[in-house]
Amino acid sequence: MSVKRMVALLLSLCMVMAFAVIPAHAVTTPCDCGEVLQVFVRGFLRPLYYHYGESNQREAFLLSHLLMDDQGKSVLPITKTWVIDHDHKDAPEFEFLYDYRLDAFEIAGQLNEFIETLCEETGHGTIALTGMSQGTSIVTTYVAEYGTDRLETLILINGSYQGAVLLGELLTNRWALSVPALINFIESLLPSSPVVSALFNLWRALPLTNLRTPASGAVAGPLCKIIYNWAITRLLGQMPAIWTFLPKEYYADARKLLDGNPKYELLRTRADKYYNEVQTQVPRLLNEAKAAGIKVAVIASYGKAPIPLLDNSYYQGDLIIDTSNESGGATTAPIGQVLPPSDSPYRSPDGIIDAATCNLPDQTWFIKYNGHDFLPSEELRQWLIHYDVGLGYPGIGTNPLFPQYLRLTEDGKAAPLEEGPAPAAPESFGDAFKNLIASFGF
């Protein structure tokens, strides 16, 4: 297999992890406050039912259905569209599935059509709208474009609406191959336990585990340049929706990919429109929705390290998106560390998160150990959806079952977080080895 093919397949796998959320219908039971029509917004990847001719079979194999032209259209024909496939009396939740690669405003227009059709067919006037992953960017675009008249509840889960550092690093060619990042990432994939922590602390104490090869470095530089110029700019740069994943601090540098080339004029216009009308306006949009009486909630995850392509491998996140951006600005400690002592009422019991700096600190929940595509917050989501606003506005202190900080349990649900700060990692190999032996009970 050629180097180009290997690189393309690796990037395709990363894209699958970053943007694909396998659809799953959730059956809900109406509560005392009545049935609420729910719309769950998630992008689809499997399969896109494409057909291709002999002339582009090789590109289809390498880049699959990710490949797009310079007008933001799929190189391979896509026939999948949204459908209303069941009666709301049987289950009040409907999933809006969309081609996640498209321009956010184009998808938001499709979502608006879906919501209007759904309301017309069911007789409902308002809905509970949930966005997950990239779906949070889509629902915020919908709010920016079409307002909140149809909304009763707005929930954002593991959101990309304020971008993802990983994509910012890739599109600005700042990414790196890092041994510490790899260690943190592998540990994040395993269940948390004293033995696992002791084992990885031993690994960190080994020689050469601080090795980093940034994209600009002498060792990795030539390979990184090839990947950046051939794969990243072509695979990611021509995908309109990719620009919704850029944090504000990366936008100016990343946009240089589109400058000076006439074929990117449409893509530049789309990227700037999203940045100016949505990305930079999300705090205002959410606060205005709350002020209008709409139940707004943000659910973020933490305790996992990002995919190991960052020189700084210590962002709290859910493997894909960093917690600070998911939560609208939470202050987070690096992986393996805790925040300085504080009396903040929004501080997590384990000392890792302080939600005081969030855009909506009283409507932002955190789930520790949760991965990007996993949804342990279904009970929390349903409580929010069915909450009677006659009792007040729902928040982090409203229900003792759902305090601000939760953890992922062994059975895949969310429970109140009770653990305190973890002990400091040993500094020497000898101490790390002793701790590993002790973790086995010897």
Side-chain angles (χ1 to χ4, degrees):
M1 182 178 291
S2 68
V3 172
K4 284 187 176 181
R5 181 169 296 185
M6 290 177 65
V7 170
L9 289 176
L10 174 62
L11 286 171
S12 294
L13 288 174
C14 289
M15 290 295 291
V16 169
M17 294 179 67
F19 307 125
V21 179
I22 298 175
H25 289 283
V27 179
T28 60
T29 303
C31 69
D32 293 338
C33 60
E35 183 182 87
V36 180
L37 192 64
Q38 304 173 44
V39 175
F40 207 135
V41 181
R42 294 198 251 187
F44 66 83
L45 179 63
R46 56 124 195 153
L48 295 185
Y49 305 112
Y50 54 81
H51 301 281
Y52 50 87
E54 185 174 344
S55 61
N56 60 355
Q57 281 186 357
R58 184 168 179 271
E59 286 188 342
F61 172 73
L62 284 176
L63 301 179
S64 185
H65 39 263
L66 301 174
L67 191 65
M68 305 188 81
D69 63 21
D70 52 27
Q71 298 301 304
K73 301 296 183 182
S74 178
V75 169
L76 305 173
I78 305 300
T79 59
K80 177 90 173 182
T81 57
W82 58 262
V83 294
I84 297 175
D85 60 355
H86 65 274
D87 191 280
H88 71 291
K89 295 178 181 178
D90 299 326
E93 179 167 297
F94 293 81
E95 280 195 312
F96 172 73
L97 305 181
Y98 60 90
D99 184 342
Y100 63 84
R101 306 166 304 162
L102 301 179
D103 173 53
F105 285 91
E106 181 177 349
I107 301 171
Q110 296 172 4
L111 175 59
N112 180 60
E113 181 184 355
F114 178 80
I115 290 172
E116 293 301 317
T117 301
L118 196 58
C119 288
E120 181 179 349
E121 292 190 6
T122 62
H124 283 73
T126 58
I127 66 168
L129 182 61
T130 300
M132 181 172 179
S133 185
Q134 186 196 14
T136 61
S137 300
I138 302 306
V139 300
T140 50
T141 304
Y142 167 84
V143 170
E145 194 78 346
Y146 300 98
T148 57
D149 289 347
R150 285 294 192 189
L151 302 187
E152 179 182 298
T153 308
L154 178 62
I155 302 175
L156 310 179
I157 303 176
N158 288 0
S160 64
Y161 63 99
Q162 289 201 309
V165 168
L166 176 63
L167 268 296
E169 295 283 292
L170 286 173
L171 284 176
T172 54
N173 202 25
R174 302 177 191 175
W175 59 285
L177 306 175
S178 166
V179 173
L182 180 63
I183 295 173
N184 290 338
F185 178 72
I186 294 175
E187 184 177 10
S188 291
L189 298 177
L190 301 175
S192 177
S193 74
V195 173
V196 169
S197 296
L199 179 62
F200 279 88
N201 282 334
L202 180 66
W203 188 3
R204 292 184 181 95
L206 291 171
L208 301 180
T209 52
N210 287 322
L211 180 64
R212 288 179 171 84
T213 56
S216 59
V219 176
L223 175 60
C224 292
K225 185 175 181 180
I226 292 173
I227 295 174
Y228 181 71
N229 291 338
W230 179 80
I232 293 178
T233 58
R234 187 172 183 220
L235 180 60
L236 303 184
Q238 294 184 182
M239 197 179 295
I242 202 68
W243 299 91
T244 68
F245 285 86
L246 273 171
K248 289 185 292 185
E249 61 268 26
Y250 289 91
Y251 186 76
D253 284 343
R255 194 186 176 286
K256 294 175 183 177
L257 280 173
L258 308 179
D259 291 339
N261 193 328
K263 75 175 185 177
Y264 288 141
E265 181 178 356
L266 177 59
L267 191 53
R268 282 195 297 269
T269 300
R270 288 171 165 170
D272 287 343
K273 180 177 175 65
Y274 180 83
Y275 179 78
N276 292 319
E277 298 183 18
V278 183
Q279 175 71 287
T280 57
Q281 302 301 316
V282 166
R284 175 184 63 81
L285 292 171
L286 296 185
N287 278 281
E288 288 180 354
K290 180 184 175 184
I294 294 162
K295 293 178 288 183
V296 179
V298 176
I299 302 173
S301 298
Y302 77 105
K304 291 186 177 292
I307 291 175
L309 292 176
L310 300 179
D311 186 38
N312 183 348
S313 61
Y314 302 109
Y315 289 107
Q316 292 286 341
D318 62 11
L319 300 177
I320 302 293
I321 304 178
D322 41 296
T323 302
S324 181
N325 284 342
E326 281 187 352
S327 61
T331 300
T332 66
I335 293 285
Q337 300 181 34
V338 296
L339 295 171
S342 169
D343 295 329
S344 170
Y346 298 101
R347 185 184 174 91
S348 62
D350 56 15
I352 294 176
I353 308 290
D354 189 343
T357 52
C358 291
N359 176 45
L360 295 171
D362 292 308
Q363 279 71 49
T364 304
W365 283 262
F366 298 82
I367 304 176
K368 191 174 185 179
Y369 307 125
N370 185 45
H372 183 71
D373 290 347
F374 194 65
L375 184 64
S377 53
E378 185 60 17
E379 292 84 359
L380 170 59
R381 192 171 74 95
Q382 293 303 325
W383 170 71
L384 289 163
I385 288 171
H386 295 293
Y387 184 84
D388 185 354
V389 292
L391 302 175
Y393 200 91
I396 57 173
T398 309
N399 189 333
L401 294 177
F402 305 116
Q404 184 156 46
Y405 294 99
L406 303 158
R407 63 177 177 85
L408 182 66
T409 63
E410 292 182 358
D411 59 357
K413 296 184 178 181
L417 179 69
E418 298 175 347
E419 62 188 76
E427 297 182 359
S428 69
F429 179 82
D431 289 340
F433 184 76
K434 292 177 182 177
N435 285 356
L436 178 60
I437 298 300
S439 70
F440 286 101
F442 300 134

